[in-house]
């Protein structure tokens, strides 16, 4: 049997980090099993339409390296699939259920339904629909259907409970006595989530439904629908909720929830993928850094936890710093460029050297500007410690270095230690008395990177020029 999974968001206009994790788990499972993953847009709620939502979603997935396939049963049509374009299919299946007596039209107005609910609430009775419309004859129904707005409801069979298997929680049992005759088709001809979801999962060859825990309570309704259609239900795996550090459900109020916001903040796609992969799954040991390919080979549904996963921003920041250090330099340079607001040439080798140096000192791409500015601007005269530049020992130190570097063009970062020792020997200047003025002169701060690193980025000529700019007379 070929594995088919799907990511099925409603088009909200952004990709929620929880959605990214759901999509990622589906993707990892499909790729690990040689199966297919499809993207299905659940856009049947016309009032919640957002302009360009799908384009934004697709571009976020592109950046994250998650690519979708065509449906195993829809050869040639590469998706994404839109439920709003499949209304005829849902109608056809609902008609079948009505013909078999497993679903029925309901003409009750919302006023009647509200009044009924209130009445039952007051009597502390179940607020389930009272099946008023089941009392009509066939002829009455046919007549009413032509002239009155109506919905189609599933006739929930009498049973006490329903049990289904969930890979994450084993067998799950729900009490079905309280399940209302679920509306399948709305009066505007659009399906409800439950109907469209089940019909599509069946038609699209979905073998495994991997989705957020918030959908767990919908699953008994889905099982009842599969039973009504006579279809085999897929295997379910409900992944745990994402939580704020205070264990409440992850919300905008306590931090960003959109993937796009994290990218704008300077989180690398590789780091975000790695981070969300570990929110609810672990490899069984204490390894934490995984590339997408490693995740594909390590991931298993059985290792998804039941308990909620805390979205820890510090951990994300730490993970990002690991990726900033470890990814190939050309990747980091490309990721950094759009974040640089300083007026610098981002195409030359100096920029590469600067980023290579700075990448181990930042946690976000947005911090590069602050870290690299010293290599692109040099205005030390206004510095609070500028006085040390004019001290006699500093001046002799600068002159000595300009002299040494000018007469010998073979100094390289690796040999500068020898020049530092020579300075000690000949001028008797060492330690703080050497490093503070020298660093202030060529870098712009008394404290900071070591002299060879600064020399490596700026090069001999610029170092000489910076010394000259602070030498008096
Ligand atoms: N449209 C639902 C959502 O927005 C899909 C839930 C499911 O995967 O069944 O998440």
């Amino acid at each position: 049997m070929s594995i088919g999974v799907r990511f099925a968001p409603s088009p909200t206009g952004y990709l929620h980090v929880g959605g990214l994790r759901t999509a990622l788990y589906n993707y990892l499972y499909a790729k690990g099993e040689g199966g297919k993953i499809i993207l299905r847009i659940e856009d049947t709620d016309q009032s919640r339409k957002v302009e360009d939502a799908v384009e934004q979603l697709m571009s976020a997935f592109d950046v994250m390296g998650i690519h979708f396939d065509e449906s195993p049963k829809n050869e040639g049509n590469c998706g994404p699939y839109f439920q709003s374009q499949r209304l005829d299919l849902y109608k056809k299946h609902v008609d079948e259920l009505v013909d078999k007596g497993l679903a029925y039209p309901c003409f009750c107005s919302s006023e009647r339904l509200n009044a009924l609910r209130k009445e039952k609430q007051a009597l502390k009775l179940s607020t389930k629909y009272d099946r008023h419309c089941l009392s009509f004859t066939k002829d009455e129904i046919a007549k009413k259907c032509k002239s009155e707005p109506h919905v189609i409801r599933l006739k929930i069979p009498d049973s006490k409970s329903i049990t289904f298997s969930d890979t994450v929680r084993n067998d799950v049992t729900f009490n079905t006595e309280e399940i209302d005759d679920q509306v399948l088709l709305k009066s505007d001809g659009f399906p409800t989530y439950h109907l469209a979801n089940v019909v599509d999962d069946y038609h699209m060859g979905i073998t495994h439904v991997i989705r957020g825990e918030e959908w767990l309570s919908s699953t008994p309704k889905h099982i009842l629908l599969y039973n009504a259609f006579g279809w085999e239900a897929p295997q379910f795996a409900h992944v745990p909720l994402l939580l704020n550090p205070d264990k409440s459900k992850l919300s905008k109020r306590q931090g960003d929830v959109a993937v796009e916001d994290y990218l704008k903040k300077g989180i690398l796609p590789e780091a975000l993928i790695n981070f969300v992969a570990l929110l609810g799954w672990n490899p069984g040991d204490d390894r934490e850094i995984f590339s997408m390919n490693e995740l594909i080979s390590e991931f298993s549904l059985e290792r998804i936890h039941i308990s909620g996963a805390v979205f820890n921003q510090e951990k994300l920041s730490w993970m990002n710093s690991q990726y900033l250090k470890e990814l190939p330099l050309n990747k980091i340079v490309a990721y950094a460029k759009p974040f640089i607001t300083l007026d610098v040439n981002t195409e030359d080798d100096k920029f590469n050297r600067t980023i290579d140096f700075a990448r181990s000192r930042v946690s976000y791409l947005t911090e590069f500007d602050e870290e690299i500015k010293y290599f692109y601007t040099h205005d030390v005269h206004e510095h609070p410690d500028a006085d040390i530049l004019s001290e006699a020992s500093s001046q002799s130190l600068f002159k000595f270095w300009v002299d040494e570097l000018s007469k010998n063009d073979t100094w390289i970062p690796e040999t500068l230690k020898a020049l530092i020792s020579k300075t000690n020997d000949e001028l008797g200047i060492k330690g703080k008395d050497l490093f503070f003025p020298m660093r202030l002169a060529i870098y712009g701060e008394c404290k900071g990177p070591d002299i060879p690193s600064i020399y490596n980025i700026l090069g001999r000529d610029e170092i000489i020029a910076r010394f000259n700019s602070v030498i008096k007379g």
Side-chain angles (χ1 to χ4, degrees):
M1 178 184 63
S2 70
I3 300 292
V5 297
R6 81 309 195 264
F7 179 57
S10 34
T12 54
Y14 66 97
L15 177 56
H16 192 285
V17 285
L20 173 65
R21 188 203 41 183
T22 302
L24 176 66
Y25 285 3
N26 277 284
Y27 180 77
L28 297 176
Y29 186 63
K31 297 297 139 189
E33 298 290 327
K36 290 192 169 174
I37 173 168
I38 60 162
L39 176 60
R40 183 173 75 224
I41 308 299
E42 304 213 325
D43 58 349
T44 56
D45 187 347
Q46 294 293 292
S47 63
R48 285 173 52 197
K49 269 202 149 160
V50 181
E51 212 48 48
D52 295 334
V54 177
E55 288 71 17
Q56 290 182 30
L57 193 71
M58 301 285 287
S59 86
F61 277 125
D62 227 34
V63 173
M64 302 312 291
I66 293 181
H67 307 291
F68 294 94
D69 305 307
E70 70 201 47
S71 147
K73 288 201 189 165
N74 283 261
E75 299 304 320
N77 176 356
C78 239
Y81 302 93
F82 292 87
Q83 290 190 323
S84 59
Q85 294 170 6
R86 300 162 62 83
L87 302 185
D88 291 348
L89 183 70
Y90 312 127
K91 172 94 175 65
K92 174 179 145 235
H93 284 296
V94 160
D95 287 347
E96 275 167 27
L97 292 184
V98 174
D99 286 346
K100 287 197 225 158
L102 299 173
Y104 63 94
C106 170
F107 307 93
C108 292
S109 63
S110 51
E111 289 77 20
R112 177 178 186 274
L113 294 173
N114 286 337
L116 181 70
R117 195 171 309 118
K118 278 196 187 136
E119 199 181 296
K120 290 199 171 187
Q121 260 163 1
L123 296 168
K124 297 212 165 27
L125 292 173
S126 151
T127 54
K128 271 165 65 171
Y129 176 58
D130 64 356
R131 293 190 165 172
H132 171 73
C133 291
L134 263 183
S135 59
F136 297 123
T137 64
K138 259 195 168 165
D139 287 350
E140 280 173 326
I141 292 174
K143 213 165 129 204
K144 275 169 139 342
C145 275
K146 283 198 191 117
S147 57
E148 290 181 32
H150 58 278
V151 301
I152 305 288
R153 289 180 183 270
L154 182 66
K155 198 173 151 201
I156 301 285
D158 295 332
S159 66
K160 293 232 174 296
S161 66
I162 203 162
T163 299
F164 58 88
S165 126
D166 181 289
T167 313
V168 179
R169 314 146 204 262
N170 302 320
D171 282 354
V172 182
T173 301
F174 271 91
N175 176 354
T176 46
E177 282 175 310
E178 286 309 308
I179 298 185
D180 215 343
D181 279 358
Q182 178 64 50
V183 173
L184 300 178
L185 204 64
K186 295 180 273 187
S187 55
D188 59 4
F190 279 83
T192 55
Y193 154 68
H194 306 289
L195 173 71
N197 196 267
V198 165
V199 168
D200 280 344
D201 282 346
Y202 171 73
H203 276 280
M204 295 177 176
I206 301 306
T207 57
H208 292 72
V209 168
I210 306 163
R211 64 183 170 198
E213 187 184 321
E214 61 272 31
W215 302 102
L216 187 65
S217 60
S218 296
T219 309
K221 294 178 184 171
H222 297 178
I223 301 283
L224 290 171
L225 261 174
Y226 281 106
N227 293 347
F229 284 124
W231 298 334
E232 191 187 333
Q235 175 62 36
F236 292 94
H238 288 91
V239 305
L241 292 178
L242 295 186
L243 307 175
N244 294 308
D246 67 3
K247 302 283 163 81
S248 58
K249 194 174 162 191
L250 186 69
S251 68
K252 262 189 200 159
R253 256 176 297 131
Q254 296 199 28
D256 291 321
V257 292
V259 165
E260 292 84 343
D261 290 336
Y262 286 98
L263 296 176
K264 266 189 226 142
K265 262 192 191 171
I267 295 288
L268 302 173
E270 288 85 347
L272 193 54
I273 286 286
N274 192 157
F275 175 74
V276 300
L278 296 174
L279 292 176
W281 169 86
N282 72 64
D285 52 43
D286 55 8
R287 282 173 301 154
E288 296 202 284
I289 302 294
F290 293 91
S291 66
M292 185 69 102
N293 283 338
E294 286 164 345
L295 286 172
I296 290 172
S297 59
E298 298 269 346
F299 183 77
S300 76
L301 294 177
E302 287 72 23
R303 295 210 67 89
I304 295 177
H305 329 150
I306 297 185
S307 53
V310 174
F311 195 99
N312 180 335
Q313 307 273 353
E314 286 87 58
K315 175 89 183 272
L316 174 58
S317 153
W318 171 81
M319 193 157 277
N320 206 44
S321 64
Q322 300 303 304
Y323 276 88
L324 280 160
K325 276 193 204 97
E326 300 302 334
L327 282 181
L329 178 61
N330 61 351
K331 264 199 154 180
I332 299 296
V333 166
Y335 280 138
K337 281 181 188 173
F339 286 84
I340 304 298
T341 63
L342 301 170
D343 186 17
V344 307
N345 178 1
T346 57
E347 301 304 324
D348 64 5
D349 199 49
K350 176 179 174 185
F351 184 70
N352 291 350
R353 293 195 305 273
T354 312
I355 295 297
D356 197 20
F357 162 77
R359 62 166 146 167
S360 58
R361 303 164 70 96
V362 297
S363 300
Y364 296 91
L365 291 166
T366 42
E367 293 169 355
F368 269 123
D369 257 355
E370 184 58 28
E371 203 57 54
I372 71 170
K373 67 179 186 200
Y374 301 98
F375 304 108
Y376 289 97
T377 50
H378 185 246
D379 184 14
V380 289
H381 299 289
E382 301 301 315
H383 193 280
D385 296 325
D387 282 355
I388 62 168
L389 297 171
S390 8
E391 286 172 12
S393 77
S394 306
Q395 288 290 312
S396 59
L397 174 68
F398 303 153
K399 283 181 193 145
F400 180 75
W401 271 61
V402 168
D403 193 39
E404 284 294 330
L405 294 175
S406 309
K407 69 181 185 215
N408 183 349
D409 66 4
T410 56
W411 287 112
I412 55 167
E414 291 73 16
T415 56
L416 277 191
K417 263 195 174 162
L419 185 51
I420 292 169
S421 305
K422 194 168 174 193
T423 315
N424 295 343
D425 297 346
E426 297 201 9
L427 302 184
I429 307 175
K430 59 181 174 188
K432 248 166 62 175
D433 297 336
L434 183 146
F435 293 117
F436 279 20
M438 187 176 289
R439 212 181 271 119
L440 185 58
I442 61 172
Y443 174 72
E445 294 291 344
C446 294
K447 292 187 178 163
D450 61 16
I451 305 298
S453 299
I454 303 169
Y455 187 89
N456 180 43
I457 292 170
L458 293 176
R460 177 174 157 269
D461 291 350
E462 201 169 340
I463 292 280
I464 292 175
R466 287 188 175 201
F467 275 133
N468 278 331
S469 77
V470 293
I471 291 176
K472 312 241 174 242

